[in-house]
Amino acid sequence: MSSADVKKLARAFSALANENRLKLFLNLLEESRLDLQKGRAHDCFLVKLLGNLSIGASTVSHHVKELEDAGLIETSRDGKNLICTIRPDTMRSLGDLFANVRPR
Amino acid sequence: MSSADVKKLARAFSALANENRLKLFLNLLEESRLDLQKGRAHDCFLVKLLGNLSIGASTVSHHVKELEDAGLIETSRDGKNLICTIRPDTMRSLGDLFANVRPR
DNA sequence: TCTACATTTTGACAATTATCGAAGTATTAG
DNA sequence: CTAATACTTCGATAATTGTCAAAATGTAGA
């Protein structure tokens, strides 16, 4: 694994290391799975995420950008609303990392 | 997912968020897979890990403890040497987290 | 027991990070 | 155009973290 890859990985884990940011991400993941069941696309408004945490809007905005810069999510806009979407490619590489460890 | 679970998860990601600590962990993972192929038990000495990084022994010791406290590895002793072992149970729960995301 | 080796603990410091509130920007509705 | 809503940027601050060097501890061998 290249040094650049390690850097990228560390960045992703760093984004998930903060409790509030992790909660945002887990919300998105759960939403993604619910929508998967219904066969719909998954997305989540910032304002909706905000409701679940006791931190300010500006802080949430920072956190979302951090998740995005780390390659964990993508964002787009629907009018005034920010839409966050999980990046399945990144999920796959993270998942692979933890696979195939010998059970004891 | 309970609040305690989220805390634990964040702790694990936090442990992997530092580049040097991540390298230690990736070394252990790789070693674990090599040994898996050979059907042997896997373990790795601290002093061996140390060689690959340009940081002091005391720092590596801190990092190892951090990985252990985060539930990612277990340690034991063989004489003077510290032996580090990947925890497959934790690997499994982390792997599950990133599974089942809809591809686009 | 003395010594060398492997690791750990301690104390310090610089760098990074999480968060806030206020001001700023963009978008929509009226 | 104006006001309201949703988000972003800025500047500040407190808390956390990564690293080091030095001293301490534990272990094995002579």
Side-chain angles (χ1 to χ4, degrees), chain A residues 31-69:
Chain A
E31 183 129 339
S32 149
R33 294 200 171 106
L34 291 177
D35 287 349
L36 178 54
Q37 286 180 358
K38 296 184 207 145
R40 295 202 282 103
H42 52 277
D43 51 53
C44 198
F45 297 149
L46 186 80
V47 70
K48 196 166 144 198
L49 294 175
L50 224 167
N52 302 320
L53 304 170
S54 52
I55 55 180
S58 75
T59 304
V60 172
S61 178
H62 280 304
H63 284 332
V64 168
K65 193 175 307 297
E66 192 68 27
L67 290 173
E68 186 177 19
D69 290 349

Side-chain angles (χ1 to χ4, degrees), chain A residues 89-102:
Chain A
D89 54 331
T90 307
M91 295 310 98
R92 224 168 300 119
S93 34
L94 290 176
D96 288 350
L97 195 68
F98 299 111
N100 303 318
V101 174
R102 175 157 87 129

